Short mmCIF file of all heavy atoms in Angstrom, two decimals:
data_model
loop_
_atom_site.label_atom_id
_atom_site.label_comp_id
_atom_site.label_asym_id
_atom_site.label_seq_id
_atom_site.Cartn_x
_atom_site.Cartn_y
_atom_site.Cartn_z
N HIS O 259 -19.78 -18.26 13.00
CA HIS O 259 -18.53 -18.33 13.80
C HIS O 259 -17.50 -17.34 13.27
O HIS O 259 -16.86 -16.64 14.03
CB HIS O 259 -17.90 -19.80 13.68
CG HIS O 259 -18.41 -20.66 14.77
ND1 HIS O 259 -18.12 -20.43 16.14
CD2 HIS O 259 -19.06 -21.84 14.72
CE1 HIS O 259 -18.57 -21.42 16.83
NE2 HIS O 259 -19.11 -22.29 16.04
N THR O 260 -17.45 -17.24 11.97
CA THR O 260 -16.45 -16.33 11.43
C THR O 260 -16.77 -14.87 11.68
O THR O 260 -15.92 -14.05 12.02
CB THR O 260 -16.35 -16.52 9.86
OG1 THR O 260 -16.11 -17.87 9.56
CG2 THR O 260 -15.27 -15.70 9.22
N LEU O 261 -18.09 -14.51 11.60
CA LEU O 261 -18.49 -13.12 11.87
C LEU O 261 -18.26 -12.87 13.35
O LEU O 261 -17.78 -11.72 13.72
CB LEU O 261 -20.04 -12.96 11.58
CG LEU O 261 -20.36 -12.96 10.10
CD1 LEU O 261 -21.91 -13.02 9.93
CD2 LEU O 261 -19.83 -11.72 9.43
N ALA O 262 -18.46 -13.84 14.21
CA ALA O 262 -18.20 -13.63 15.64
C ALA O 262 -16.79 -13.27 15.99
O ALA O 262 -16.44 -12.49 16.90
CB ALA O 262 -18.70 -14.84 16.42
N ASP O 263 -15.87 -13.84 15.18
CA ASP O 263 -14.46 -13.51 15.34
C ASP O 263 -14.16 -12.07 15.16
O ASP O 263 -13.17 -11.52 15.69
CB ASP O 263 -13.58 -14.32 14.34
CG ASP O 263 -13.58 -15.83 14.67
OD1 ASP O 263 -13.90 -16.20 15.79
OD2 ASP O 263 -13.27 -16.61 13.75
N TYR O 264 -15.03 -11.38 14.43
CA TYR O 264 -14.86 -9.94 14.17
C TYR O 264 -15.89 -9.04 14.89
O TYR O 264 -16.14 -7.92 14.54
CB TYR O 264 -14.91 -9.65 12.63
CG TYR O 264 -13.71 -10.26 12.00
CD1 TYR O 264 -13.74 -11.61 11.45
CD2 TYR O 264 -12.52 -9.55 11.76
CE1 TYR O 264 -12.65 -12.15 10.84
CE2 TYR O 264 -11.37 -10.13 11.15
CZ TYR O 264 -11.52 -11.42 10.72
OH TYR O 264 -10.44 -12.02 10.11
N GLY O 265 -16.62 -9.66 15.83
CA GLY O 265 -17.55 -8.93 16.66
C GLY O 265 -18.88 -8.67 15.89
O GLY O 265 -19.57 -7.69 16.26
N LEU O 266 -19.19 -9.48 14.90
CA LEU O 266 -20.42 -9.28 14.07
C LEU O 266 -21.32 -10.52 14.22
O LEU O 266 -20.88 -11.57 14.70
CB LEU O 266 -19.97 -9.09 12.57
CG LEU O 266 -19.03 -7.95 12.29
CD1 LEU O 266 -18.55 -8.03 10.81
CD2 LEU O 266 -19.72 -6.60 12.53
N SER O 267 -22.60 -10.34 13.84
CA SER O 267 -23.51 -11.43 13.96
C SER O 267 -24.57 -11.31 12.79
O SER O 267 -24.72 -10.23 12.22
CB SER O 267 -24.21 -11.46 15.27
OG SER O 267 -24.95 -10.22 15.47
N LEU O 268 -25.25 -12.43 12.53
CA LEU O 268 -26.28 -12.46 11.49
C LEU O 268 -27.54 -11.89 11.96
O LEU O 268 -27.81 -11.88 13.17
CB LEU O 268 -26.53 -13.88 11.02
CG LEU O 268 -25.36 -14.55 10.17
CD1 LEU O 268 -25.75 -16.00 9.81
CD2 LEU O 268 -25.12 -13.73 8.91
N ASN O 269 -28.30 -11.38 11.08
CA ASN O 269 -29.62 -10.80 11.38
C ASN O 269 -30.64 -11.98 11.27
O ASN O 269 -30.98 -12.44 10.18
CB ASN O 269 -30.04 -9.68 10.39
CG ASN O 269 -31.23 -9.00 10.71
OD1 ASN O 269 -32.14 -9.56 11.37
ND2 ASN O 269 -31.39 -7.77 10.33
N ARG O 270 -31.06 -12.51 12.39
CA ARG O 270 -31.90 -13.64 12.43
C ARG O 270 -33.25 -13.48 11.71
O ARG O 270 -33.78 -14.35 11.08
CB ARG O 270 -32.15 -14.16 13.85
CG ARG O 270 -30.92 -14.81 14.41
CD ARG O 270 -31.22 -15.20 15.93
NE ARG O 270 -31.39 -14.04 16.76
CZ ARG O 270 -31.67 -14.09 18.04
NH1 ARG O 270 -31.79 -15.23 18.64
NH2 ARG O 270 -31.80 -12.96 18.78
#
Side-chain angles (χ1 to χ4, degrees):
H259 268 299
T260 307
L261 290 172
D263 291 339
Y264 293 88
L266 303 169
S267 61
L268 290 177
N269 189 333
R270 288 177 294 178

